Amino acid sequence: MTTGSPAPVKEKKEKRQRKNKQVADEKAPLLPSKQEEDVSLDGFSGASFAGAVFNLSTTIVGAGIMALPATMKVLGLGPGIVMIVFVAFLTEASIEMLLRSSRAGKSVSYAGVMGDAFGRIGRMLLQLCVVINNIGVLIVYMIIIGDVLSGTSSSGVHHSGILEGWFGVHWWNGRFFILLVTTLGVFAPLACFKRVDSLRYTSALSVALAVVFVVITAGITIVKLINGSIAMPRWLPNVTDLTSVWKLFTVVPVLVTAYICHYNVHTIDNELEDSSQIQSIVRTSLGLCSTVYITTSFFGFLLFGDSTLDDVLANFDSNLGIPYSSVLNDAVRVSYVIHLMLVFPIIFFALRLNLDGLLFPSSGPLVLDNRRFALISAGLIGVVFLGANFIPSIWDAFQFTGATAAVCIGFIFPAAITLRDAHCVSTKKDKILSIFMIVLAVFSNVVAIYSDAYSIFKRSQDGSRA
């Protein structure tokens, strides 16, 4: 007896066909579409809830996790944890407003929503910000991978890499060769996937490795708490003068960058079998990542206290004062390096799509043009590889370009779209929240950039005196 079953099947098929048509009609081919021919060729009928959560979580959890314990050193444990939760809620609100505007305007990409609200200039500005942010992030990832595996002397003091510590100094574990092998053996193959859902298994492993890092850090901290070798750190910030007050704002770009995932939300949404799940996916991913962030920040700052470095991974380069210290140090660094390798293709995916939209706005979908797909992929991988090899340290530059582009992507653009309200879907509450986000983002980043610039100037001045 099959009474009632044909109608739901037919309705589901029609819904999928309508969605496919929207993607095909979108003028800016920024996102891979779930084409009918793709479905018939490889049986792909839509991404799963779990796969989407892992892909979005991997977009969120990147190098930012290592900078969060340092924010605790600035803010103290109490305000630091509150700020992590606060920025997570702001991120969820900004994504919700972005998705609502895209539904009203039938846009299937972030750039499409910006184009709908602000025309061609808005679209191009968003694409440019994504390109700047993601290139900076990927170069940072590759530099960290090189530093951890092969060592670094950029600070004037040589820090041995894992391979150098295990096997000694050889040509095959030098920085250039290791990054070349990683690029050709890991990044290039993963960059060849044309659907973000194809990366769901590597994303799941990436999230698992982030959890491994948290578990090891928590275990070391608990052991040291039991034997009484560490004390409870500060719960409140150490504010002594006006300079220390301004320094509190420097954590905002770090927190904002840690939650940036907006440029991949539409990509993941377009591949879902059921688009109504996207809000639940966003909330689940943000909840998972916030838990990882809070746990990492708490135990990382508890473990190293005021000695916590800007990149807490660098703290795992010395004796931890417990048995098997060197083994645990290597486990932390190896798990984190593999985590970054698996995050790379997710960030690269959005970079390639937005660069294609910026350079070829009138061309057909990128996934249907193999030659364009290969050339853009190879060109971008080459730029990132060269940047990681010939730029010894880009942290200062990344603080300016990355944080500024990230805050635009995460808060300023979604808030501006809501205030523009081209389709009259924004509430009074949405507009008040949007004004608050823009004011907070602009003020905090101006103060942060000023503080960073002042620190760089002071360091150079002290260096010239010495």
Side-chain angles (χ1 to χ4, degrees), residues 80-116:
I81 292 173
V82 170
M83 281 298 296
I84 289 174
V85 176
F86 175 67
V87 176
F89 276 110
L90 278 186
T91 302
E92 194 274 333
S94 67
I95 293 174
E96 193 275 331
M97 291 188 292
L98 187 63
L99 287 171
R100 197 189 320 154
S101 297
S102 68
R103 295 282 189 267
K106 294 182 173 60
S107 298
V108 294
S109 69
Y110 191 166
V113 185
M114 278 292 287
D116 194 29

Side-chain angles (χ1 to χ4, degrees), residues 56-377:
L56 190 58
S57 298
T58 301
T59 306
I60 298 171
V61 179
I65 190 174
M66 293 300 156
L68 289 176
T71 67
M72 296 291 172
K73 184 173 70 171
V74 176
L75 296 175
L77 280 178
I81 292 173
V82 170
M83 281 298 296
I84 289 174
V85 176
F86 175 67
V87 176
F89 276 110
L90 278 186
T91 302
E92 194 274 333
S94 67
I95 293 174
E96 193 275 331
M97 291 188 292
L98 187 63
L99 287 171
R100 197 189 320 154
S101 297
S102 68
R103 295 282 189 267
K106 294 182 173 60
S107 298
V108 294
S109 69
Y110 191 166
V113 185
M114 278 292 287
D116 194 29
F118 299 103
R120 180 170 169 266
I121 299 299
R123 179 192 297 273
M124 292 178 64
L125 189 59
L126 182 276
Q127 292 166 340
L128 184 62
C129 283
V130 173
V131 169
I132 292 172
N133 179 75
N134 288 25
I135 285 180
V137 166
L138 293 181
I139 291 177
V140 168
Y141 285 5
M142 198 174 284
I143 286 177
I144 294 174
I145 291 169
D147 290 347
V148 172
L149 294 180
S150 300
T152 178
S153 303
S154 61
S155 60
V157 179
H158 182 70
H159 295 274
S160 298
I162 293 175
L163 297 178
E164 184 179 309
W166 288 352
F167 305 105
V169 180
H170 298 281
W171 66 269
W172 51 265
N173 59 17
R175 184 186 190 86
F176 182 87
F177 187 77
I178 287 298
L179 290 183
L180 180 63
V181 171
T182 303
T183 300
L184 297 179
V186 180
F187 298 151
L190 291 177
C192 292
F193 290 111
K194 294 185 176 182
R195 271 200 298 265
V196 72
D197 185 64
S198 302
L199 299 168
R200 62 189 181 278
Y201 297 117
T202 57
S203 294
L205 180 57
S206 173
V207 173
L209 288 169
V211 174
V212 167
F213 169 78
V214 172
V215 170
I216 294 176
T217 305
I220 295 170
T221 306
I222 292 171
V223 169
K224 297 195 74 173
L225 276 173
I226 293 173
N227 63 30
S229 56
I230 58 174
M232 284 297 293
R234 288 179 292 102
W235 280 93
L236 295 173
N238 186 17
V239 178
T240 56
D241 52 21
L242 185 60
T243 303
S244 61
V245 174
W246 291 128
K247 189 178 180 181
L248 297 178
F249 290 92
T250 61
V251 306
V252 175
V254 176
L255 290 168
V256 171
T257 304
Y259 278 106
I260 292 300
C261 61
H262 303 62
Y263 50 77
N264 262 346
V265 171
H266 287 85
T267 311
I268 292 169
D269 182 27
N270 290 337
E271 294 186 4
L272 282 175
E273 185 176 7
D274 181 5
S275 290
S276 64
Q277 293 181 323
I278 187 62
Q279 283 292 353
S280 298
I281 288 168
V282 170
R283 294 190 185 102
T284 303
S285 299
L286 288 173
L288 174 62
C289 295
S290 297
T291 302
V292 171
Y293 283 168
I294 291 172
T295 310
T296 301
S297 303
F298 178 82
F299 286 109
F301 184 43
L302 191 63
L303 180 59
F304 299 111
D306 288 332
S307 299
T308 304
L309 299 174
D310 291 342
D311 178 6
V312 76
L313 194 68
N315 286 106
F316 291 94
D317 193 28
S318 57
N319 192 342
L320 297 173
I322 62 172
Y324 308 105
S325 175
S326 61
V327 175
L328 292 171
N329 278 334
D330 287 348
V332 166
R333 292 192 289 172
V334 168
S335 65
Y336 182 62
V337 162
I338 298 175
H339 164 75
L340 284 186
M341 289 180 182
L342 300 179
V343 172
F344 190 99
I346 288 286
I347 308 299
F348 185 85
F349 199 95
L351 170 61
R352 177 175 54 208
L353 292 171
N354 281 275
L355 181 63
D356 177 68
L358 194 62
L359 297 178
F360 308 104
S362 301
S363 301
L366 178 62
V367 294
L368 301 181
D369 190 331
N370 291 332
R371 182 181 178 186
R372 198 166 90 241
F373 183 91
L375 288 175
I376 292 177
S377 300

